[in-house]
Amino acid sequence: MKTNKLLLSLTGTLAALSMNAMAADSIKVGFLTTLSGPASAPGIDQSDAFKLALKMLGGKLGGLPAEMISVDDQFSPDAAKQGADRLLRRDKIDVLTGVIYSNVLLAVTPAAIANKTIVLSSNAGPASIAGQDCSPYFFSVSWQNDAPHEAGGKYMLDKGYKRVALIAPNYPAGKDAATGFKRFYKNELALEIYPKLGQLDFAAEIAQVRAANVDAIYYFLPGGMGVNFTKQYSASGMDPKIVRVFQGYDADQQMLTIGDLINGVVNTGQWSSDMDNAANKLFVSEFTKAYGRVPSTYASQAWDAAYLLDAAVRNVGGKIEDRDAFIAAIKEAKGFNSVRGEFRFGRNHFPIQTQYARVVTKMPDGKYLNKLVGPVLKDHSDAYIGQCAMK
Amino acid sequence: MQTKKSLSAVLWLLLFVVLASFPWLATRAGEDFYIGVVIRIMIFAIAASSLNLILGYGGMVSFGHAAFFGLGAYTAGIAVVHGADNAWLVWLLAAAIGGTSALAVGYVATRTRGAYFIMITLAMGQLFYFLFVGLRQYGGDDGLRMSVRPALGLGLDIRSETVFYAVVLGWTVLMHLLLARLVRSRFGLALQAVRENEQRMGAIGYSTRQYRLIAFAVAGVMAGVAGALLAMHNQFVSPKLLHWSQSGTLMIMVVLGGMGRLHGGFLGAATLLLLEEVLSGYFSYWHIYVGAILLLVVMVSPDGLVGLGRLFRRKAAAPADAGRAP
Amino acid sequence: MGVLLLEQTLNGLQFSVTLFLIAAGLTLVFGVMNFVNLAHGSLFMVGAYFAAWFAGMLDSFWLGLLCALPATALVGLVIEVLVLRHLYAKDHMVHVLATFALILIFNDLVRIVWGPLPLPLDLPSGLASAIQLGPVPYSSFRLVIMLSGVLVGLLLWFLVTRTRIGMWVRAGANNREMAIAMGVNVKWLYTAVFTFGTVLSALAGVMLGPLVAVEAGMGDGVLILAFVVVVIGGIGSILGAAAGALIVGVVDTLGRTALPALLSATLPPAIASSLGSALGSMMIYLVMVLVLFWRPSGLFPANS
């Protein structure tokens, strides 16, 4: 009888699910990132870099065997929450890292912190967590979201552009971008547009920019959005004298596929592949060797995340169960050589670092390099550290 | 027939016992993560059963049912944002909103037939979806976080997972008893008769549209409550809950479990969600297997899916038992 | 302001044309075979994927287009013969479930074959710049899309009204039983109509590929809009598809541009943008509900 068979098998399955899983003496890192869809390039980049870093470290972090459990958040806070739940409660991870997007991060962080799991953000750095919602369990090894935008604003102010358009998607990081830019670009904006996150056709927005007669555009269009915008922008006959400035991490990615279309465009960020320090040289050469492409800013952050954990675990002698000691070790970051050069955390567990301007340059071999131009904001902290109650 | 019925009853009782003791079993085994999985199954079981009422028993192919599910969830979420802290109130509101919106949608949709009915239910579902995507003060696309789980009172702490599990189990049992009562009643039998032959029923004096509307409204109430429970479980609501693909998922559950059969919603939800849980552990691309299984089920059934059910019933029971589950 | 209006009108028209290309195939299949084909969006996606793949290998957009169409037609033919053909006589719900299953399968299949990242598909080099249309420079590629849509529309009109097979198609859409009784070879007609619909959908996918991301799920949003177009215009009618596409295209573009502009007079830009786009998306469905209320069979239904 069909019904009864199904009922029996169902009952059986439920009972069978109550099976024990073994826990090993190791460090479990949950890598929750965007691995599918148009917004997945940064996630795949970070995953590649983290895996490579682990390989370089012999599959261990600070002497402890490391297990990396990858989950695809599908660029959805919903799916991310389910995935995070699984990582936190079934796989019982020690550290959660890899999240690219702020809306995803905001959806999963509360549960992780409640579970006393360390969240080491390798990308997203929302203002709320840098400020009033700061927590000892949260670290950002990348930046606070506003940083590259603050640098963009300062750069444009220094260059004296008068009519500026700002384009950013309508989601927390997009709003942070706008706020950050306006914090340093003090003049009034000629145009502000906030397309829907994930939108792929920008004909309407480009038309508005054209009508506003600007001399510079600052845009924050991560991932696939940026590629499509740039392709469509270049095909729309816009005045070539209009200056475009955007973020280093997107420039790194776009150089690989649409380098021609962004040749000479300035971008801002805390890292550049031509930075002159031992850790960076190793990173760039190993990454290029392994994956056949120059690493991006995203990759540099994931690499740093792995090496930071390595240093911290070593400093507590592998006793990561003592969360307070582990947290202190991460904060101190002793023995951690970032590919950015010097690195330190502010008291809100966000980095205090220099933001640089870089320019997309065509090399003699036809490939593109993001060349370091110079510092824009030296030893820069974030605007929200004052709201954080931590010492 | 009697032995089959009592065998069925025994199995249901067995299932209830397993479900009731599952939290204790899972915690003993150190796998308390799965308590959450079973809670989800039960919540979706209610939602799928509500769709079963209008799809399986009522013969109405509604492609927008997820809207009522999502509306119930957002009712809970928005209520909490505005300070509601009483679970009973939240459930009442969710039921009311689920029911009235279903009535409204049903009123418009039942004016059409066939493919147009499918399209109009889909369209109205999408209307609600975009409404919540656009409401940025309630999170929009990013979803809405609920800072608290509305309290139960009665001296029990609903924040405890065991207590919440019991609450959801209670609702599941209640909803299924209600559904059983309903489909075996005169209303239920008439509804199924309308599904079989609307013209004849109209000719002998039944107001067929009324039966459809009432079924729609009841389904909306059930889905609304299920939505509120899901919101309380996740403490997070997202517009994706109202998307037509979610309606499609609910339909898959009903079809897999058995359309027009009392257990259809529950079995379908359990099957699909367990499949998801197992497959996603092994394959990064597991939707393709779900699609293949669904396609197989749809193709293999010789007379369409309702035909399969009718075929079984004809083999098992006397022809007069038109609406009873075997 | 006039320049902006002109450019946005062109954008709305281009969007309408794209919708028409997709809806035309859908309405034919719907009308002639009474088949609800949710997999139509998946064929749009497969067309784009093939184009990106071939264009990449042969280093030419046009060659990519030329190869993608028959390749996708083959895929459509295969699923018609293996799966869909057995379902025509069944309930609409069976169609919905089977083709929904196909969506799930195709979305994962393209990722298994081509990887999780979107495939690059470049604009053809000759059309990568803008052309001056009076005061406004407009992307020449978008103009070509509009042109191709109009050409396809004319071709369809010619086929349907002036050829024998077109007569069968109209007969089938108008009164299936009668057409069968009059000796139309229904089995082959169905396969032909389905394959033709597939090619139209694939063409739309190829043309849109350079402008959007060629990725899994790209057909899902477009599918729903196509259904709205078909339902508004009337099932089985090419003229209906054109009218529906025009309405939906204009409403959507207005929603994305005029509405936020109107709202930003009173609300901050971020809220105006998101509220405007949400309302714009809702408007299309509202329009559809209104049309169905007034004309339950759509504006220009095929069966009178």
Side-chain angles (χ1 to χ4, degrees), chain A residues 1-4 6-8 10-11 13-15 17-21 74-78 81-82 85-86 89-90 92 103 106-107 110 170-172 175 196-197, chain B residues 4 7-8 11-12 15 18-19 22 25 29-34 38 40 136 141-142 145 161 234 236 238 240 261 263 266-267 270 274 276-277 280 308 312 326:
Chain A
M1 180 69 233
K2 186 179 168 205
T3 325
N4 297 339
L6 274 168
L7 277 175
L8 266 169
L10 190 60
T11 315
T13 316
L14 277 178
L17 272 178
S18 317
M19 288 263 219
N20 215 342
Q74 299 170 50
F75 194 35
S76 149
D78 223 11
K81 210 164 182 306
Q82 275 183 48
D85 226 28
R86 203 168 284 146
R89 301 187 56 199
R90 187 184 68 181
K92 303 197 177 22
N103 54 352
L106 288 169
N170 205 335
Y171 80 126
K175 298 206 209 88
K196 182 170 145 53
L197 184 68
Chain B
K4 286 223 169 82
L7 181 66
S8 196
L11 279 168
W12 278 116
L15 180 64
V18 172
L19 278 177
F22 186 77
L25 284 168
E31 294 288 348
D32 55 340
F33 164 72
Y34 288 102
V38 178
R40 260 177 61 103
R136 275 234 71 96
D141 225 353
D142 297 335
R145 244 182 314 155
E161 195 167 42
N234 287 331
F236 180 81
S238 139
K240 283 219 166 60
R261 307 257 282 256
H263 55 266
F266 185 87
L267 281 178
L274 285 173
E276 198 183 294
E277 190 64 37
S280 63
L308 190 62
F312 266 64

Side-chain angles (χ1 to χ4, degrees), chain B residues 234-302:
Chain B
N234 287 331
Q235 288 188 243
F236 180 81
V237 193
S238 139
K240 283 219 166 60
L241 265 180
L242 296 104
H243 196 252
W244 65 268
S245 52
Q246 188 69 257
S247 295
T249 306
L250 289 173
M251 271 210 279
I252 296 178
M253 290 177 178
V254 175
V255 166
L256 283 181
M259 276 184 5
R261 307 257 282 256
L262 194 57
H263 55 266
F266 185 87
L267 281 178
T271 309
L272 191 61
L273 289 176
L274 285 173
L275 253 176
E276 198 183 294
E277 190 64 37
V278 168
L279 288 175
S280 63
Y282 291 108
F283 308 105
S284 17
Y285 301 125
W286 51 271
H287 282 109
I288 197 173
Y289 296 103
V290 172
I293 292 173
L294 177 65
L295 198 58
L296 218 71
V297 169
V298 168
M299 300 279 294
V300 154
S301 144

Side-chain angles (χ1 to χ4, degrees), chain A residues 35-42 44 72 74 170 175 182 192-196 198-211 224 228-229 231-232 234-238 257-258 261, chain C residues 1 3-4 7-8 11 14 111 116-123 127-131 135-140 142 209-213 215-216 253 256-257 261 269-271 273-275 277:
Chain A
L35 294 170
S36 58
S40 56
I44 293 176
D72 181 6
Q74 299 170 50
N170 205 335
K175 298 206 209 88
K182 288 193 247 183
E192 283 178 69
I193 326 177
Y194 298 95
K196 182 170 145 53
Q199 177 179 316
L200 296 168
D201 189 310
F202 297 95
E205 284 78 12
I206 293 171
Q208 287 175 272
V209 170
R210 192 201 310 279
N228 287 311
F229 173 75
K231 277 171 136 179
Q232 293 162 28
S234 305
S236 307
M238 295 292 282
T257 48
I258 50 170
L261 304 178
Chain C
M1 192 62 219
V3 172
L4 181 61
E7 190 165 355
Q8 298 298 33
N11 288 331
Q14 183 249 299
R111 296 200 303 163
L117 284 173
L119 287 187
L121 178 56
D122 291 330
L123 287 168
L127 296 170
S129 54
I131 256 183
V136 82
Y138 198 67
S139 159
S140 39
R142 289 185 192 266
L211 296 177
V212 301
E215 37 124 6
T253 307
R256 284 209 295 151
T257 55
I271 298 187
S273 243
S274 82
L275 193 64
S277 99

Side-chain angles (χ1 to χ4, degrees), chain C residues 125-188:
Chain C
S125 41
L127 296 170
S129 54
I131 256 183
Q132 197 70 21
L133 291 175
V136 82
Y138 198 67
S139 159
S140 39
F141 188 71
R142 289 185 192 266
L143 279 174
V144 169
I145 293 181
M146 285 201 263
L147 214 73
S148 52
V150 169
L151 279 173
V152 166
L154 287 173
L155 176 73
L156 275 173
W157 174 80
F158 180 79
L159 275 175
V160 166
T161 56
R162 291 267 185 278
T163 64
R164 166 160 280 172
I165 196 171
M167 182 184 68
W168 292 339
V169 165
R170 270 182 296 139
N174 199 297
N175 193 327
R176 188 165 308 105
E177 287 78 18
M178 198 51 128
I180 295 173
M182 299 294 270
V184 177
N185 187 339
V186 162
K187 201 154 155 224
W188 279 113

Side-chain angles (χ1 to χ4, degrees), chain B:
Chain B
M1 182 64 212
Q2 253 336 89
T3 22
K4 286 223 169 82
K5 275 191 88 171
S6 45
L7 181 66
S8 196
V10 166
L11 279 168
W12 278 116
L13 198 62
L14 185 65
L15 180 64
F16 177 75
V17 167
V18 172
L19 278 177
S21 54
F22 186 77
W24 179 80
L25 284 168
T27 322
R28 281 291 300 266
E31 294 288 348
D32 55 340
F33 164 72
Y34 288 102
I35 301 178
V37 174
V38 178
I39 290 179
R40 260 177 61 103
I41 290 177
M42 291 194 286
I43 293 175
F44 275 92
I46 301 175
S49 292
S50 71
L51 178 60
N52 195 10
L53 177 63
I54 54 180
L55 178 62
Y57 290 99
M60 297 181 270
V61 187
S62 165
F63 216 139
H65 199 65
F68 314 125
F69 188 39
L71 271 165
Y74 266 99
T75 306
I78 294 175
V80 165
V81 164
H82 290 285
D85 197 18
N86 186 325
W88 305 97
L89 176 66
V90 166
W91 291 331
L92 190 67
L93 278 171
I97 292 190
T100 24
S101 52
L103 206 61
V105 171
Y107 184 78
V108 174
T110 50
R111 279 169 68 102
T112 58
R113 291 270 174 284
Y116 293 100
F117 181 88
I118 302 176
M119 283 310 302
I120 226 181
T121 50
L122 191 151
M124 300 197 80
Q126 287 297 90
L127 259 172
F128 284 115
Y129 167 74
F130 282 112
L131 175 67
F132 286 106
V133 166
L135 285 174
R136 275 234 71 96
Q137 65 263 50
Y138 295 123
D141 225 353
D142 297 335
L144 181 66
R145 244 182 314 155
M146 286 165 64
S147 50
V148 294
R149 186 180 280 172
L152 192 60
L154 305 176
L156 294 163
D157 185 5
I158 203 172
R159 287 169 302 175
S160 143
E161 195 167 42
T162 325
V163 171
F164 189 66
Y165 182 96
V167 166
V168 174
L169 181 60
W171 270 112
T172 308
V173 171
L174 184 67
M175 289 299 192
H176 280 85
L177 285 175
L178 229 103
L179 188 66
R181 253 304 159 79
L182 194 64
V183 300
R184 286 165 191 172
S185 70
R186 280 195 58 170
F187 172 83
L189 292 174
L191 180 69
Q192 290 168 81
V194 168
R195 176 196 74 205
E196 294 300 312
N197 195 326
E198 192 180 354
Q199 264 190 325
R200 196 198 306 158
M201 286 299 278
I204 59 176
Y206 278 85
S207 168
T208 59
R209 192 165 171 221
Q210 241 179 35
Y211 279 86
R212 288 216 165 102
L213 268 177
I214 294 176
F216 228 84
V218 171
V221 166
M222 283 177 74
V225 173
L229 288 172
L230 188 67
M232 289 169 67
H233 174 54
N234 287 331
Q235 288 188 243
F236 180 81
V237 193
S238 139
K240 283 219 166 60
L241 265 180
L242 296 104
H243 196 252
W244 65 268
S245 52
Q246 188 69 257
S247 295
T249 306
L250 289 173
M251 271 210 279
I252 296 178
M253 290 177 178
V254 175
V255 166
L256 283 181
M259 276 184 5
R261 307 257 282 256
L262 194 57
H263 55 266
F266 185 87
L267 281 178
T271 309
L272 191 61
L273 289 176
L274 285 173
L275 253 176
E276 198 183 294
E277 190 64 37
V278 168
L279 288 175
S280 63
Y282 291 108
F283 308 105
S284 17
Y285 301 125
W286 51 271
H287 282 109
I288 197 173
Y289 296 103
V290 172
I293 292 173
L294 177 65
L295 198 58
L296 218 71
V297 169
V298 168
M299 300 279 294
V300 154
S301 144
D303 230 304
L305 297 146
V306 180
L308 190 62
R310 235 182 284 144
L311 209 69
F312 266 64
R313 254 174 274 140
R314 226 171 276 139
K315 280 187 180 163
D321 297 332
R324 299 225 222 122

